[in-house]
Amino acid sequence: MGKSTNITWHDQTVTKQQRRENNKHHSCVLWFTGLSGSGKSTVANAVAKRLFDDRINSYVLDGDNIRFGINKDLGFSEEDRKENIRRIGEVSKLFVDSGQVVLTAFISPFREDRDKVRELLNEDEFIEIYIKCSLEACEARDPKGLYEKARQGIIKDFTGISSPYEEPNNPEIVVDTEENSIEECVELIVNYLKDKNFYIAE
Ligand SMILES: Nc1ncnc2c1ncn2[C@@H]1O[C@H](COP(=O)(O)OP(=O)(O)OP(=O)(O)O)[C@@H](O)[C@H]1O
Ligand SMILES: [Mg+2]
């Protein structure tokens, strides 16, 4: 329970369903999870571009950007990582309620935290996308130089090096960025959405 007691939920006059009908597409969360450097931001932005071109309202919530703003009070302790994901989950739910597709690009290493977000949403509203890439390949890419700093001990609790990453047990989609090009990853994800009738391209 929260800290406030004298609060009452006020229903929206325009419903989620009406917004979806107006937009002519379903609204949902595409929850990207994977190691640092696996390609979450790259693939999420490429999918968002594709959705944009097809007139689907979408928005990317990305790791560091969120920590610059809404979550700037949070660090990387276990408790803060949990709170980080919880808030992102709640924000994502608002996007879904507003009739949009929200793509989230966070390492989100713990199964329990991701499952809690899943529980916030309806079954067809949470699509977990595992961005699969070996630690070796992520470390070789090291686009932000973070693995090098983690190996030197400059960054503590770094996922994959000094903090665990828990692979999803039953993700809706798995894309392997060592096997597939960025375009192939986008195709896989968009085809999933089309198959589920989320996505009505003109
Ligand atoms: N098939 C592919 N899909 C995605 N990225 C790829 C692929 N092949 C190579 N890359 C490269 O891998 C890197 C992935 O970096 P990106 O910033 O997207 O990772 P991330 O998962 O968002 O990491 P972080 O958790 O640190 O934000 C980029 O430099 C990208 O160009
Ligand atoms: Mg990223």
Side-chain angles (χ1 to χ4, degrees):
M1 283 307 280
K3 289 183 179 166
S4 310
T5 45
N6 293 315
I7 53 172
T8 311
W9 185 266
H10 195 113
D11 283 329
Q12 298 253 347
T13 307
V14 181
T15 67
K16 174 165 67 178
Q17 200 47 41
Q18 287 172 316
R19 291 177 195 281
R20 286 173 173 170
E21 280 162 21
N22 229 20
N23 287 342
K24 299 189 176 62
H25 60 77
H26 188 64
S27 64
C28 60
V29 185
L30 303 182
W31 188 279
F32 292 76
T33 174
L35 293 170
S36 177
S38 58
K40 300 178 297 297
S41 298
T42 304
V43 177
N45 278 282
V47 171
K49 172 71 170 77
R50 175 71 177 273
L51 296 177
F52 180 81
D53 289 344
D54 288 333
R55 298 175 184 277
I56 289 182
N57 298 305
S58 76
Y59 193 76
V60 180
L61 296 177
D62 206 331
D64 288 349
N65 300 5
I66 293 290
R67 284 183 176 274
F68 274 116
I70 188 173
N71 286 357
K72 69 176 167 194
D73 58 323
L74 301 178
F76 288 89
S77 67
E78 206 179 312
E79 198 183 324
D80 281 6
R81 279 178 189 248
K82 274 189 186 304
E83 179 61 10
N84 184 45
I85 298 302
R86 190 193 69 80
R87 287 187 201 169
I88 293 157
E90 291 288 355
V91 170
S92 299
K93 188 177 165 131
L94 295 176
F95 271 91
V96 173
D97 207 40
S98 79
Q100 302 185 72
V101 175
V102 60
L103 303 93
T104 65
F106 302 86
I107 297 173
S108 46
F110 301 114
R111 228 172 259 138
E112 188 189 340
D113 298 344
R114 296 191 301 263
D115 287 346
K116 275 191 185 150
V117 179
R118 187 185 283 276
E119 281 165 24
L120 284 178
L121 294 143
N122 295 334
E123 214 181 306
D124 60 352
E125 292 176 340
F126 184 81
I127 297 153
E128 190 172 18
I129 303 175
Y130 177 33
I131 302 289
K132 195 165 184 234
C133 185
S134 67
L135 178 64
E136 294 68 37
C138 291
E139 197 166 355
R141 289 178 186 170
D142 206 6
K144 302 178 189 165
L146 298 176
Y147 283 95
E148 204 181 327
K149 286 189 187 163
R151 288 287 183 200
Q152 290 169 358
I154 299 168
I155 306 177
K156 306 262 179 268
D157 301 326
F158 193 76
T159 303
I161 306 289
S162 41
S163 185
Y165 176 78
E166 298 173 356
E167 288 189 0
N169 285 334
N170 283 307
E172 276 70 15
I173 308 173
V174 181
V175 297
D176 186 326
T177 63
E178 285 180 89
E179 297 286 328
N180 299 299
S181 67
I182 298 168
E183 290 68 32
E184 285 167 345
C185 296
V186 170
E187 217 45 45
L188 244 151
I189 295 166
V190 167
N191 284 341
Y192 175 93
L193 298 178
K194 284 180 180 170
D195 283 349
K196 298 277 176 188
N197 297 324
F198 278 61
Y199 180 116
I200 309 158
E202 283 173 29

Short mmCIF file of all heavy atoms in Angstrom, two decimals, residues 23-64:
data_model
loop_
_atom_site.label_atom_id
_atom_site.label_comp_id
_atom_site.label_asym_id
_atom_site.label_seq_id
_atom_site.Cartn_x
_atom_site.Cartn_y
_atom_site.Cartn_z
N ASN A 23 -7.00 5.16 -32.66
CA ASN A 23 -5.64 4.99 -33.21
C ASN A 23 -5.58 3.89 -34.26
O ASN A 23 -4.61 3.80 -35.01
CB ASN A 23 -4.67 4.62 -32.09
CG ASN A 23 -4.36 5.79 -31.18
OD1 ASN A 23 -4.59 6.93 -31.53
ND2 ASN A 23 -3.82 5.50 -30.01
N LYS A 24 -6.58 3.02 -34.26
CA LYS A 24 -6.61 1.84 -35.14
C LYS A 24 -5.43 0.90 -34.88
O LYS A 24 -4.88 0.28 -35.79
CB LYS A 24 -6.66 2.26 -36.62
CG LYS A 24 -7.90 3.07 -36.95
CD LYS A 24 -8.02 3.26 -38.45
CE LYS A 24 -9.29 3.98 -38.82
NZ LYS A 24 -9.37 5.34 -38.26
N HIS A 25 -5.00 0.84 -33.63
CA HIS A 25 -4.03 -0.21 -33.26
C HIS A 25 -4.14 -0.48 -31.76
O HIS A 25 -4.63 0.35 -30.99
CB HIS A 25 -2.61 0.15 -33.67
CG HIS A 25 -2.05 1.41 -33.07
ND1 HIS A 25 -1.60 1.47 -31.77
CD2 HIS A 25 -1.89 2.64 -33.58
CE1 HIS A 25 -1.16 2.70 -31.53
NE2 HIS A 25 -1.33 3.44 -32.60
N HIS A 26 -3.63 -1.65 -31.40
CA HIS A 26 -3.62 -2.07 -30.00
C HIS A 26 -2.56 -1.27 -29.25
O HIS A 26 -1.68 -0.68 -29.85
CB HIS A 26 -3.27 -3.56 -29.98
CG HIS A 26 -3.40 -4.21 -28.64
ND1 HIS A 26 -4.59 -4.33 -28.00
CD2 HIS A 26 -2.47 -4.79 -27.84
CE1 HIS A 26 -4.39 -4.95 -26.84
NE2 HIS A 26 -3.11 -5.23 -26.72
N SER A 27 -2.67 -1.22 -27.94
CA SER A 27 -1.59 -0.58 -27.16
C SER A 27 -0.99 -1.62 -26.23
O SER A 27 -1.69 -2.48 -25.69
CB SER A 27 -2.12 0.62 -26.38
OG SER A 27 -3.06 0.24 -25.41
N CYS A 28 0.33 -1.56 -26.10
CA CYS A 28 1.03 -2.58 -25.30
C CYS A 28 2.44 -2.12 -24.95
O CYS A 28 2.90 -1.09 -25.44
CB CYS A 28 1.12 -3.89 -26.09
SG CYS A 28 2.02 -3.72 -27.64
N VAL A 29 3.08 -2.90 -24.10
CA VAL A 29 4.49 -2.66 -23.75
C VAL A 29 5.34 -3.68 -24.49
O VAL A 29 5.07 -4.89 -24.41
CB VAL A 29 4.75 -2.88 -22.23
CG1 VAL A 29 6.19 -2.51 -21.88
CG2 VAL A 29 3.77 -2.13 -21.37
N LEU A 30 6.35 -3.23 -25.19
CA LEU A 30 7.37 -4.13 -25.72
C LEU A 30 8.55 -4.00 -24.77
O LEU A 30 9.25 -2.99 -24.78
CB LEU A 30 7.77 -3.75 -27.15
CG LEU A 30 6.64 -3.69 -28.19
CD1 LEU A 30 7.19 -3.33 -29.56
CD2 LEU A 30 5.88 -5.00 -28.24
N TRP A 31 8.68 -5.00 -23.90
CA TRP A 31 9.69 -4.91 -22.82
C TRP A 31 10.97 -5.61 -23.25
O TRP A 31 11.06 -6.84 -23.26
CB TRP A 31 9.14 -5.53 -21.52
CG TRP A 31 10.05 -5.29 -20.36
CD1 TRP A 31 11.17 -6.01 -20.04
CD2 TRP A 31 9.92 -4.26 -19.37
NE1 TRP A 31 11.75 -5.46 -18.92
CE2 TRP A 31 11.01 -4.39 -18.48
CE3 TRP A 31 9.00 -3.23 -19.16
CZ2 TRP A 31 11.20 -3.54 -17.39
CZ3 TRP A 31 9.19 -2.37 -18.08
CH2 TRP A 31 10.27 -2.54 -17.21
N PHE A 32 11.97 -4.83 -23.63
CA PHE A 32 13.27 -5.40 -24.06
C PHE A 32 14.12 -5.66 -22.82
O PHE A 32 14.23 -4.81 -21.95
CB PHE A 32 14.00 -4.42 -24.97
CG PHE A 32 13.35 -4.23 -26.31
CD1 PHE A 32 12.20 -3.46 -26.45
CD2 PHE A 32 13.88 -4.83 -27.45
CE1 PHE A 32 11.59 -3.29 -27.68
CE2 PHE A 32 13.28 -4.67 -28.69
CZ PHE A 32 12.13 -3.90 -28.81
N THR A 33 14.71 -6.85 -22.77
CA THR A 33 15.62 -7.16 -21.66
C THR A 33 16.84 -7.87 -22.23
O THR A 33 16.74 -8.61 -23.22
CB THR A 33 14.94 -8.01 -20.57
OG1 THR A 33 15.92 -8.40 -19.61
CG2 THR A 33 14.27 -9.26 -21.13
N GLY A 34 18.00 -7.63 -21.62
CA GLY A 34 19.23 -8.28 -22.09
C GLY A 34 20.43 -7.55 -21.52
O GLY A 34 20.31 -6.46 -20.93
N LEU A 35 21.59 -8.16 -21.73
CA LEU A 35 22.84 -7.60 -21.21
C LEU A 35 23.12 -6.22 -21.80
O LEU A 35 22.62 -5.89 -22.88
CB LEU A 35 24.00 -8.53 -21.57
CG LEU A 35 24.04 -9.91 -20.90
CD1 LEU A 35 25.12 -10.77 -21.56
CD2 LEU A 35 24.30 -9.77 -19.40
N SER A 36 23.96 -5.47 -21.12
CA SER A 36 24.43 -4.20 -21.67
C SER A 36 25.18 -4.49 -22.97
O SER A 36 25.99 -5.42 -23.03
CB SER A 36 25.36 -3.52 -20.66
OG SER A 36 25.87 -2.33 -21.20
N GLY A 37 24.85 -3.75 -24.01
CA GLY A 37 25.51 -3.96 -25.30
C GLY A 37 24.87 -5.03 -26.16
O GLY A 37 25.32 -5.30 -27.28
N SER A 38 23.80 -5.67 -25.65
CA SER A 38 23.16 -6.72 -26.44
C SER A 38 22.41 -6.14 -27.63
O SER A 38 22.23 -6.81 -28.65
CB SER A 38 22.21 -7.55 -25.55
OG SER A 38 21.22 -6.72 -24.96
N GLY A 39 21.94 -4.89 -27.49
CA GLY A 39 21.26 -4.25 -28.61
C GLY A 39 19.84 -3.77 -28.31
O GLY A 39 19.08 -3.48 -29.22
N LYS A 40 19.50 -3.65 -27.05
CA LYS A 40 18.14 -3.24 -26.66
C LYS A 40 17.78 -1.87 -27.25
O LYS A 40 16.75 -1.71 -27.90
CB LYS A 40 17.98 -3.17 -25.13
CG LYS A 40 18.24 -4.50 -24.43
CD LYS A 40 18.13 -4.36 -22.93
CE LYS A 40 19.15 -3.45 -22.30
NZ LYS A 40 20.55 -3.87 -22.45
N SER A 41 18.64 -0.88 -27.03
CA SER A 41 18.34 0.47 -27.51
C SER A 41 18.33 0.51 -29.03
O SER A 41 17.46 1.14 -29.64
CB SER A 41 19.40 1.46 -27.00
OG SER A 41 19.37 1.52 -25.60
N THR A 42 19.29 -0.17 -29.64
CA THR A 42 19.40 -0.17 -31.10
C THR A 42 18.15 -0.78 -31.73
O THR A 42 17.55 -0.19 -32.63
CB THR A 42 20.66 -0.97 -31.53
OG1 THR A 42 21.79 -0.40 -30.86
CG2 THR A 42 20.87 -0.95 -33.02
N VAL A 43 17.75 -1.95 -31.23
CA VAL A 43 16.60 -2.64 -31.84
C VAL A 43 15.29 -1.92 -31.48
O VAL A 43 14.43 -1.72 -32.35
CB VAL A 43 16.55 -4.13 -31.44
CG1 VAL A 43 15.32 -4.82 -32.01
CG2 VAL A 43 17.82 -4.86 -31.88
N ALA A 44 15.17 -1.45 -30.23
CA ALA A 44 13.93 -0.76 -29.82
C ALA A 44 13.72 0.49 -30.69
O ALA A 44 12.61 0.75 -31.16
CB ALA A 44 13.99 -0.38 -28.34
N ASN A 45 14.77 1.24 -30.93
CA ASN A 45 14.64 2.45 -31.75
C ASN A 45 14.36 2.12 -33.21
O ASN A 45 13.62 2.85 -33.88
CB ASN A 45 15.89 3.33 -31.61
CG ASN A 45 15.81 4.17 -30.35
OD1 ASN A 45 15.12 5.18 -30.29
ND2 ASN A 45 16.48 3.72 -29.29
N ALA A 46 14.93 1.03 -33.70
CA ALA A 46 14.66 0.62 -35.07
C ALA A 46 13.20 0.16 -35.22
O ALA A 46 12.54 0.46 -36.22
CB ALA A 46 15.62 -0.50 -35.49
N VAL A 47 12.68 -0.53 -34.20
CA VAL A 47 11.26 -0.94 -34.23
C VAL A 47 10.38 0.32 -34.16
O VAL A 47 9.39 0.44 -34.90
CB VAL A 47 10.92 -1.91 -33.08
CG1 VAL A 47 9.42 -2.16 -32.97
CG2 VAL A 47 11.66 -3.24 -33.25
N ALA A 48 10.75 1.26 -33.30
CA ALA A 48 9.95 2.49 -33.15
C ALA A 48 9.90 3.27 -34.46
O ALA A 48 8.86 3.83 -34.82
CB ALA A 48 10.53 3.35 -32.03
N LYS A 49 11.00 3.27 -35.18
CA LYS A 49 11.03 3.97 -36.49
C LYS A 49 10.06 3.30 -37.45
O LYS A 49 9.29 3.95 -38.16
CB LYS A 49 12.46 3.96 -37.03
CG LYS A 49 12.62 4.48 -38.44
CD LYS A 49 12.41 6.00 -38.50
CE LYS A 49 12.80 6.59 -39.85
NZ LYS A 49 11.81 6.36 -40.90
N ARG A 50 10.08 1.97 -37.45
CA ARG A 50 9.20 1.21 -38.32
C ARG A 50 7.73 1.46 -37.96
O ARG A 50 6.88 1.68 -38.84
CB ARG A 50 9.56 -0.27 -38.20
CG ARG A 50 8.69 -1.22 -38.93
CD ARG A 50 8.90 -1.13 -40.45
NE ARG A 50 8.07 -2.13 -41.07
CZ ARG A 50 8.46 -3.40 -41.25
NH1 ARG A 50 9.67 -3.79 -40.91
NH2 ARG A 50 7.65 -4.26 -41.80
N LEU A 51 7.42 1.48 -36.66
CA LEU A 51 6.05 1.73 -36.22
C LEU A 51 5.64 3.15 -36.60
O LEU A 51 4.53 3.39 -37.07
CB LEU A 51 5.92 1.52 -34.70
CG LEU A 51 6.17 0.10 -34.18
CD1 LEU A 51 6.07 0.08 -32.65
CD2 LEU A 51 5.20 -0.90 -34.78
N PHE A 52 6.53 4.08 -36.40
CA PHE A 52 6.26 5.49 -36.75
C PHE A 52 5.91 5.62 -38.23
O PHE A 52 4.93 6.28 -38.59
CB PHE A 52 7.49 6.34 -36.41
CG PHE A 52 7.32 7.80 -36.73
CD1 PHE A 52 6.65 8.64 -35.85
CD2 PHE A 52 7.84 8.32 -37.90
CE1 PHE A 52 6.49 9.99 -36.14
CE2 PHE A 52 7.68 9.67 -38.21
CZ PHE A 52 7.00 10.51 -37.32
N ASP A 53 6.71 4.97 -39.08
CA ASP A 53 6.46 5.03 -40.52
C ASP A 53 5.10 4.43 -40.87
O ASP A 53 4.50 4.81 -41.86
CB ASP A 53 7.57 4.29 -41.28
CG ASP A 53 8.89 5.05 -41.23
OD1 ASP A 53 8.88 6.25 -40.88
OD2 ASP A 53 9.95 4.44 -41.51
N ASP A 54 4.65 3.48 -40.06
CA ASP A 54 3.34 2.86 -40.28
C ASP A 54 2.24 3.53 -39.46
O ASP A 54 1.16 2.94 -39.25
CB ASP A 54 3.42 1.36 -39.96
CG ASP A 54 4.19 0.60 -41.03
OD1 ASP A 54 4.23 1.06 -42.18
OD2 ASP A 54 4.78 -0.44 -40.69
N ARG A 55 2.52 4.73 -38.97
CA ARG A 55 1.53 5.56 -38.25
C ARG A 55 1.01 4.92 -36.97
O ARG A 55 -0.17 5.05 -36.60
CB ARG A 55 0.34 5.91 -39.15
CG ARG A 55 0.75 6.72 -40.35
CD ARG A 55 -0.44 6.95 -41.28
NE ARG A 55 0.00 7.65 -42.48
CZ ARG A 55 0.15 8.97 -42.55
NH1 ARG A 55 -0.12 9.73 -41.52
NH2 ARG A 55 0.55 9.54 -43.67
N ILE A 56 1.88 4.18 -36.32
CA ILE A 56 1.52 3.61 -35.02
C ILE A 56 2.15 4.47 -33.94
O ILE A 56 3.35 4.80 -34.03
CB ILE A 56 1.95 2.14 -34.94
CG1 ILE A 56 1.02 1.35 -35.87
CG2 ILE A 56 1.91 1.61 -33.51
CD1 ILE A 56 1.22 -0.09 -35.93
N ASN A 57 1.36 4.90 -32.98
CA ASN A 57 1.87 5.80 -31.94
C ASN A 57 2.72 5.01 -30.96
O ASN A 57 2.22 4.13 -30.26
CB ASN A 57 0.71 6.46 -31.19
CG ASN A 57 -0.13 7.30 -32.11
OD1 ASN A 57 0.38 8.18 -32.80
ND2 ASN A 57 -1.42 7.01 -32.16
N SER A 58 4.01 5.34 -30.92
CA SER A 58 4.87 4.62 -30.00
C SER A 58 5.90 5.57 -29.39
O SER A 58 6.11 6.68 -29.88
CB SER A 58 5.58 3.46 -30.71
OG SER A 58 6.63 3.95 -31.52
N TYR A 59 6.52 5.08 -28.32
CA TYR A 59 7.54 5.89 -27.64
C TYR A 59 8.52 4.96 -26.95
O TYR A 59 8.13 3.94 -26.40
CB TYR A 59 6.87 6.81 -26.61
CG TYR A 59 7.80 7.88 -26.10
CD1 TYR A 59 8.10 8.99 -26.89
CD2 TYR A 59 8.38 7.79 -24.84
CE1 TYR A 59 8.98 9.98 -26.44
CE2 TYR A 59 9.25 8.77 -24.38
CZ TYR A 59 9.54 9.86 -25.18
OH TYR A 59 10.40 10.82 -24.73
N VAL A 60 9.81 5.33 -27.00
CA VAL A 60 10.85 4.50 -26.37
C VAL A 60 11.22 5.10 -25.01
O VAL A 60 11.52 6.29 -24.91
CB VAL A 60 12.12 4.42 -27.25
CG1 VAL A 60 13.19 3.56 -26.56
CG2 VAL A 60 11.80 3.87 -28.64
N LEU A 61 11.18 4.28 -23.99
CA LEU A 61 11.73 4.67 -22.68
C LEU A 61 13.08 3.97 -22.57
O LEU A 61 13.16 2.75 -22.66
CB LEU A 61 10.82 4.20 -21.54
CG LEU A 61 9.41 4.78 -21.47
CD1 LEU A 61 8.64 4.13 -20.31
CD2 LEU A 61 9.44 6.30 -21.29
N ASP A 62 14.13 4.75 -22.40
CA ASP A 62 15.47 4.16 -22.42
C ASP A 62 16.23 4.39 -21.13
O ASP A 62 16.08 5.44 -20.48
CB ASP A 62 16.26 4.69 -23.62
CG ASP A 62 17.33 3.71 -24.06
OD1 ASP A 62 17.84 2.96 -23.22
OD2 ASP A 62 17.66 3.70 -25.25
N GLY A 63 17.06 3.41 -20.79
CA GLY A 63 17.81 3.34 -19.53
C GLY A 63 18.31 4.65 -18.97
O GLY A 63 17.74 5.20 -18.02
N ASP A 64 19.36 5.16 -19.58
CA ASP A 64 20.01 6.33 -18.99
C ASP A 64 19.09 7.55 -18.99
O ASP A 64 19.11 8.34 -18.06
CB ASP A 64 21.32 6.65 -19.74
CG ASP A 64 22.39 5.61 -19.43
OD1 ASP A 64 22.19 4.81 -18.51
OD2 ASP A 64 23.43 5.62 -20.11
#
